[in-house]
Amino acid sequence: TGLEVSLAVLNTYTCDWISKYYSPAVESAVHSVLGQKCRVRITVDPEATVPPAPAPRESRPPLDSGPSAGAPPALAPGAGLLWNSDVVLNHKYTFENFVVGPCNRFAHAAAVGSGERPGKNYNPFFLHGRVGVGKTHLLQALCFSILERDPSARILYLSCETFVNHFISALENGDLDGFRTKYRNVDVLVVDDIHILANKERTQEEFFHTFNTLYQAGKQLVLSSDSPPKDIPTLQERLVSRFRWGMVTEIEPPCYETRMAIVKRKSRDQGRELPDTVAQLIAEQIDQNVRELEGAVTRLLGFSSLTGKPLTLELAREALGDLLQANHGAPTMDDIISAVTSKYGVKLSELQSKRRTKSITHPRQVAMFLARRITRHSLEEVGGFFGGRDHSTVIYAVDRVSKAVRSDPEVRKQVEGLLGRLGAPSDGRL
């Protein structure tokens, strides 16, 4: 009777293809692993799961106090995402390992809340922000949180591009029922880069019905994008409305304090904490995104190890010269203030004052708009620069100028002129 090994695949097409062309190779691989010949049976199982990536064997001391700080969640063996997901969970992407600062505190809290009570607290959870600011980390941490509480949760995590491609394939093969079964028979659906739905009317229609089915069943929907729902072009209004039913939150580029914390933590993770002066240089000069910060730290530590040189400012400038140069010369807040005060004939003290006359409020709002448009400063940093105003004032200013640019040709001309003077052309996105 011999040993039989079952190999699960996602669909009938894959099952037939492997059976026809790869049976000998599969049997040979099984034999080399088990040390004996076995009969291999290929089965179709669209609900098969992929376990999280294994945690590193070499453990390091936790970064924070407490026995569980920095440690990955305790997951049951085999717990993970559904097999047809795009990704494998990375044990580094947990809430415990996420550096929380003013720029991402609200997004972090919303993600934690979604993971604590999926389908109830914030549904859908819509997270948007620029590339490299931590969206993937929060989405995977949310998945870990859910699996920690319920290891049997069926989580489908994929990019919107994959959803589109699967839908097109289902249309071509006449297998819409199989497609709908796969996407609607889950507990949590995580779709990254949902803005890819723009200009795809038929796919939007299908996603609308998938959304409704899961929402009405009390299943959690998690979506990410580079912009809020209302700014995704050609997105159907009924989808925009549904995306805003739950929690829509932005994760902003990291402010200076957060960048410093990320740099220090990343270096400690790698076993060598950077001196404060070196960490300050990196945090001040590299403000584009978290990935660039982490890459700079990795490169500097590697350079130091290979050359045997100590971690100094001189070594940092030598190792990171191209990164520092790429960020040098970008318009600063001082450049914006200089351009605005010159254009409107006002003083910096007036922009920072409490005066609310139109001759002051309009230039102040334009300056805030430009600061958010062409610098990496957070809402809190911009508001603080203009007389200690809070983030809601900055949001209002940006929204007001954005509307004025669309409706008033004179304001549009002013803003385009300022952008050109600052070396940041409008590129048609005004």
Side-chain angles (χ1 to χ4, degrees), residues 30 87 98 113 153 166 171 173 207 217 241 302 356 363 384:
V30 170
V87 301
F98 188 81
H166 285 179
L171 284 176
N173 297 324
F207 190 81
S241 173
R356 296 185 178 180

Side-chain angles (χ1 to χ4, degrees), residues 192-207:
D192 201 5
D193 293 333
I194 196 68
H195 52 268
I196 290 176
L197 282 180
N199 301 313
K200 299 176 178 63
E201 293 184 7
R202 184 75 185 272
T203 311
Q204 288 186 35
E205 178 80 18
E206 185 63 33
F207 190 81

Side-chain angles (χ1 to χ4, degrees), residues 132-161:
V133 293
K135 297 192 299 293
T136 298
H137 191 144
L138 283 183
L139 294 188
Q140 293 210 17
L142 191 158
C143 293
F144 270 124
S145 177
I146 292 173
L147 289 169
E148 185 179 12
R149 291 171 173 80
D150 180 10
S152 65
R154 294 171 299 169
I155 303 177
L156 179 57
Y157 186 141
L158 71 165
S159 70
C160 187
E161 183 178 9

